[in-house]
Amino acid sequence: MAAKAVVLHAAMLAATFVGAPAVAQTNDPNLSQKQIDCLNRTTAAGADCEDGAKNGGGKSGAGNAAGGAVFLPALIVDLFPNPPARPTPAPTQPAPPKSPTSTAAPAPPPSGPITPPTGLNLAAPPRAVSGEFVPDEVLVTVAGDAGAVQQIATTLGLQVRSQRQSRLLGTTLVRYGIPDGRPVGVVLAQLAADGRTQRREPNHVYSLQQAAGIVNYAFERIALDSKQASGENVRVAVIDTGIDDANPALKGVIAGQFDAMPNVPIKKRDHGTSVDGLIAGVGALEGMAPGAKIYHARAFEGGKSSMDVILSALDWAAEQDVRIINMSFVGPKNDLLGTACRNARALGMVLVAAAGNNGPKAPYGYPAAFDGVIAVTATDAKDGLMPQANRGAYVFLSAPGVEMVAPSGTGSDVVTGTSFAAAIVSGAIANLIHAAPDRSADEIEKALAATAKDLGPKGRDNDFGYGLLDIKAAAAAKE
C-alpha cells in the first residue's frame, strides 16, 4: 500500500513522459510474432526464447533505448493548453488538443478535491507504458452508446474529454481524462475489467522526423526520369504540420485540407510544405509525382502530436478515397494506430512512413514498424546511410533523404531526415499507380522489395532494408 501511495503522490507532483523500449513488428514475412517479440526481448517472450529466436533467425534486432523518466517539455504544454483543475497547487499538467470531431463536450473541471474511486477491479496488473504519452489521458474504444461512455467515466472517476465514431477503427473512440493523478497504466488495467471497453491505449505522443539540415538528386538515385515523372490525378494523403499553400511549388497541388487540431495556432509550416513539395511540387522545385493531388491533414505543431489527433487525421484521409498515405512521423507502438493502419491497408491504401532519426540503438519507430507499412530510411547522394537513422528488421526500403532542396514555409530549404525519404517513396509510388491504376498495394510492395538496389550486406538487412528504391525496375516488374 505504501508503494501505491508513492506512485500516486509522484503522479500528482509532476507530469512526465515515461520512456521505455517499444515492442516491434516487422514486414519480414520470415519472422514469426514470437521471433519478433524475442528480437526485442519483450516480457511476453520471456525465458521461452531460444538464442536463434532472439536473434530473429540470424538477424540482429535494433537496440532498445534505456528506460527512465523524461520531463515534459514546455512545447507540449503549449500543444495541450487546457489542463484540468487541480485540488492543490502543482506543476502545470497538460491537457490534449481538442478533437475537431468531438460529439461530446468535455466534462466541467472538478470544483473541489477529487477522491480516487476505491474498490475498483484490476483485470490485469498495472500496465507498463512505453514511449511518450499524455500523462492524464487514455484512449478507449467502447461498445455502446453515449450513456455507456458516461457510465464508464462515472464508475472509474474519469472525464469524457471527447468521443467520436472512427471509420478506420469501426467503433466509438473515447478520450478519457484522469483528473485525480492515477498513473495511466493503472487506469488502463481498471478499464480492462469493464466488458464494454474493447481497446485501451495511452494517448501516445509522436514526433516529426526531420534532422538538422543540393539540387534534388533523388530523381537520378531512384531511376526516375524527371521529364516523364507523373502522378497525375493520383490522390495522396499527407499527415503533417500546417503548410504554406501560397508557396509557388504547391500551386494547384493541394486538393483538400483538414485541420485535426483547430484550437492550436499554426506557428510552423516548413515540414509539411517540404513533404508535400517533394511528393508533388511544381515549377523549379518539382516533386517526384507532378500532377498528384495532395490531401493534407494538419496534425502537428512544434513537431509534436498525440494519438487522438493523428487518428482523427487518418480517418479524414480514409474518407478522401486516397491511394497513398504519407506518415513522416515516429512514436511508440500503439494498438489503436496499428488497427487503423491495418484497416487502411485492407481498403487498398499504400502506407508509407519514416523509419525514424533516433539513431542505431533506438527502439523501433511506429507506425513504420507495423506490418503493411513501408518503412523508409534515408540515404545520401552517394547511397550512404544517414548516420542518425533508426535500424531494425522493420526497415523496408532506402530512399534519398539527406541534404535535399525542398520548398518550405520560408520559400525553400535544405532538408535531411527519414521524413523526406518517405516523401520521395510516396511520390515514386504515385508514378506506379498513375501508370497502372489497377496495381494493388500488395503488388506494389512486392515489386519495390524485389527490384530495390541491394546496399550493405547481401539481401535484406537492418540498415537499408531491401535496398535503394529503383522505380524504373519496379514499374517493369511483373507479378
Side-chain angles (χ1 to χ4, degrees), residues 16-38:
T16 59
F17 286 150
V18 179
V23 180
Q25 293 185 8
T26 171
N27 284 324
D28 191 337
N30 297 319
L31 293 182
S32 67
Q33 185 60 49
K34 179 178 178 181
Q35 286 175 312
I36 295 167
D37 290 339
C38 293

Side-chain angles (χ1 to χ4, degrees), residues 35-244:
Q35 286 175 312
I36 295 167
D37 290 339
C38 293
L39 185 67
N40 290 282
R41 290 165 171 80
T42 62
T43 303
D48 295 332
C49 296
E50 300 295 335
D51 289 341
K54 289 182 179 180
N55 291 327
K59 297 181 181 180
S60 59
N64 288 325
V70 180
F71 285 99
L72 186 68
L75 171 64
I76 306 302
V77 175
D78 295 336
L79 188 61
F80 309 121
N82 300 311
R86 311 294 294 177
T88 57
T92 302
Q93 180 145 327
K98 297 178 181 178
S99 172
T101 54
S102 298
T103 58
S111 57
I114 293 178
T115 302
T118 58
L120 296 176
N121 294 324
L122 290 179
R127 178 172 163 184
V129 181
S130 65
E132 297 180 352
F133 56 91
V134 182
D136 68 336
E137 288 187 351
V138 291
L139 297 179
V140 183
T141 54
V142 174
D145 56 14
V149 170
Q150 187 57 54
Q151 287 172 7
I152 293 170
T154 301
T155 300
L156 294 181
L158 304 175
Q159 294 175 338
V160 180
R161 291 185 175 164
S162 69
Q163 60 178 297
R164 63 184 180 84
Q165 185 68 24
S166 168
R167 177 182 180 184
L168 289 175
L169 298 177
T171 186
T172 300
L173 177 65
V174 184
R175 179 163 55 95
Y176 285 115
I178 309 170
D180 53 37
R182 275 171 290 166
V184 164
V186 170
V187 174
L188 292 173
Q190 292 169 341
L191 282 161
D194 192 311
R196 293 168 294 185
T197 67
Q198 300 163 318
R199 290 187 173 89
R200 301 151 294 275
E201 291 289 334
N203 194 5
H204 277 124
V205 172
Y206 290 72
S207 303
L208 292 169
Q209 294 300 287
Q210 178 173 4
I214 283 183
V215 172
N216 191 339
Y217 56 88
F219 286 102
E220 176 187 358
R221 299 317 306 154
I222 69 171
L224 177 61
D225 186 341
S226 62
K227 296 179 181 179
Q228 297 182 4
S230 176
E232 186 175 1
N233 295 324
V234 177
R235 300 159 78 96
V236 182
V238 174
I239 298 173
D240 217 285
T241 67
I243 58 171
D244 176 13

